[in-house]
Amino acid sequence: MLAKVFSSALIGIDAILVDVEVDLAPGLPAFATVGLPDGAVKESKDRVKAALKNSGYDFPPRRITANLAPADIKKEGAAYDLPISIGILAATGVIKGTLLHEYILLGELSLDGGLKPIRGALSMAVAAKRAGLAGLILPAENAPEAAVVEGIDVIGATSLSQVVEFLSGREGITPCRVDLQALFSSSSEYGEDFSEVKGQEHAKRALEVAASGGHNLLMLGPPGSGKTMLARRMPTILPRMSFDEAIETTKIFSVSGMLEKERALLAVRPFRSPHHTISDVGLIGGGTTPKPGEVSLAHNGVLFLDELPEFKKNVLEVLRQPLEDGKVTISRSLLSLTYPARVMLVAAMNPWRCVNLSLLARTKGYKRRQNEGNPRRHQSSRQVLSRLAA
């Protein structure tokens, strides 16, 4: 007995369609998942088995093979729990009907059959619309995020049994709808504003010029002079985000699992301020399981590097390509991923210590002490500066 359902996989910030084929064959009970799955996908057999039993369905004592096609693309995450379990129920004849081939199925299963949220729901909704499907079925917490894509039905479910009843035609679920205009307006409010800055007229003028032309900016000043305060308010004077920019930025945060539950759409320009101990992988992305870095999370916004000289040399050097090309390409043996990275770089640093000492030396008047009776005349400048530092 064979059943086929649709799911989706993430490649970068985009998604592609995945065919989940479940075959039940006679033989000793076994469960095999093929199609280049990672550890989380391989562990789905235990979650699926427990969820089916605790939801009141029989787990077939057969040789079960779940194939995730295309097989040359790595499958990651626990979002395949729901399509695999629905495929098993369809292969055993519990689910019948045409709705099974009209929706993308996504969701992580808890042991009691409940659905937990996933990453990348917005990108997968775009993939469903591109494939010409009726919509997608996913956890209810991800429904507002996916409903940003118009033209498809976004079915938010809370449990495995609810999905089974819907696909069997015995229970109707109202598709999730969002008012894009109201959502975009409510999500475009900043917590801080540039008008809150009092004084600092020369610094504010420099920030306005940089913002109007999209130029990078370096602020130099002593601690406490307001560099970080000004940088945090830089996004508030940048042009308002367009809807396409908001969708692209939301996709990055959704894929990274950093999208807040109460915000289905990011309509404010992001501000990212990584610590100076960050690695090059953390800044531009990558890793064993490639994910967007800070430069991609700041896409369409501001990347703020405080204490610029404290960053490692190799970390600063890897910023060259993203700043020039507006994207980051991460190459691995099996695939190559491209993340967008159009950012405005704002950096801040304190004056060099030698500059501080030189200014202090001139203030104290050491350069004017040239008379013969001055015992400090023959002291070298290094000795003078060392005494001042002490």
Side-chain angles (χ1 to χ4, degrees):
M1 291 173 285
L2 178 66
K4 177 181 176 181
V5 297
F6 294 121
S7 188
S8 185
L10 292 172
I11 300 181
I13 65 170
D14 297 318
I16 63 169
L17 209 63
V18 172
D19 297 335
V20 180
E21 301 170 335
V22 178
D23 177 68
L24 303 183
L28 293 176
F31 197 128
T33 304
V34 296
L36 210 60
D38 70 345
V41 180
K42 291 179 180 178
E43 292 174 351
S44 65
K45 61 181 181 181
D46 299 316
R47 293 190 296 268
V48 167
K49 184 177 181 179
L52 287 174
K53 289 185 175 181
N54 293 326
S55 298
Y57 304 104
D58 293 330
F59 187 80
R62 303 258 185 118
R63 184 176 182 85
I64 303 174
T65 303
N67 179 41
L68 310 178
D72 60 338
I73 295 176
K74 189 173 183 179
K75 316 303 187 305
E76 301 170 349
Y80 300 100
D81 292 358
L82 181 62
I84 291 176
S85 60
I86 294 297
I88 293 175
L89 294 177
T92 55
V94 176
I95 300 177
K96 299 178 182 179
T98 59
L99 290 178
L100 196 63
H101 303 99
E102 296 180 5
Y103 291 90
I104 285 179
L105 301 176
L106 302 161
E108 177 184 349
L109 287 175
S110 60
L111 298 184
D112 62 354
L115 289 179
K116 295 183 178 180
I118 60 171
R119 298 184 294 111
L122 179 57
S123 301
M124 295 172 180
V126 174
K129 182 177 181 180
R130 191 187 305 118
L133 298 176
L136 71 165
I137 303 174
L138 73 173
E141 294 184 25
N142 297 115
E145 174 190 344
V148 173
V149 180
E150 296 178 317
I152 59 173
D153 292 336
V154 178
I155 307 298
T158 57
S159 64
L160 173 62
S161 58
Q162 188 179 17
V163 176
V164 173
E165 294 298 311
F166 173 78
L167 293 175
S168 301
R170 295 188 292 267
E171 179 182 345
I173 302 178
T174 303
C176 181
R177 295 282 186 267
V178 295
D179 187 347
L180 289 180
Q181 198 68 27
L183 182 63
F184 192 77
S185 300
S186 62
S187 301
S188 57
E189 297 295 331
Y190 291 92
E192 301 168 326
D193 194 76
F194 197 72
S195 61
E196 299 170 348
V197 182
K198 306 301 180 183
Q200 300 277 22
E201 299 301 330
H202 65 292
K204 290 194 292 186
R205 175 58 179 167
L207 264 66
E208 292 169 359
V209 172
S212 62
H215 306 299
N216 300 324
L217 184 68
L218 173 63
M219 293 185 288
L220 180 67
S225 58
K227 301 185 297 297
T228 303
M229 176 196 64
L230 289 167
R232 289 188 177 277
R233 288 158 175 78
M234 188 71 180
T236 65
I237 60 174
L238 293 174
R240 295 178 67 89
M241 291 184 72
S242 64
F243 185 74
D244 292 338
E245 287 178 329
I247 289 291
E248 196 173 26
T249 304
T250 306
K251 284 167 111 178
I252 298 174
F253 277 78
S254 177
V255 168
S256 303
M258 301 177 61
L259 189 63
E260 300 176 4
K261 296 180 181 179
E262 61 274 8
R263 301 187 68 176
L265 185 68
L266 288 178
V268 296
R269 297 195 177 273
F271 177 85
R272 304 296 299 180
S273 178
H275 194 260
H276 61 78
T277 57
I278 191 172
S279 64
D280 51 354
V281 173
L283 187 62
I284 67 168
T288 306
T289 301
K291 290 184 178 181
E294 290 291 336
V295 68
S296 294
L297 292 172
H299 179 61
N300 291 324
V302 174
L303 177 64
F304 178 53
L305 302 183
D306 198 7
E307 302 294 344
L308 183 65
E310 302 296 331
F311 283 82
K312 298 177 183 177
K313 180 181 178 182
N314 62 309
V315 172
L316 296 178
E317 287 178 348
V318 298
L319 276 176
R320 180 185 56 81
Q321 186 207 2
L323 293 179
E324 290 180 356
D325 301 338
K327 60 183 179 180
V328 174
T329 301
I330 301 172
S331 298
R332 294 292 182 267
S333 58
L334 296 177
L335 78 165
S336 179
L337 302 177
T338 299
Y339 295 114
R342 292 192 304 272
V343 301
M344 178 179 179
L345 178 63
V346 178
M349 58 183 293
N350 300 324
W352 291 284
R353 187 168 179 265
C354 58
V355 174
N356 286 333
L357 293 177
S358 298
L359 292 174
L360 184 59
R362 286 198 295 269
T363 303
K364 293 294 185 179
Y366 280 98
K367 287 194 173 182
R368 294 194 302 269
R369 297 179 180 178
Q370 301 294 333
N371 55 336
E372 294 290 335
N374 186 359
R376 297 179 180 176
R377 177 190 175 193
H378 300 291
Q379 291 180 342
S380 65
S381 60
R382 178 174 297 180
Q383 292 173 324
V384 173
L385 295 179
S386 63
R387 293 184 69 256
L388 289 174

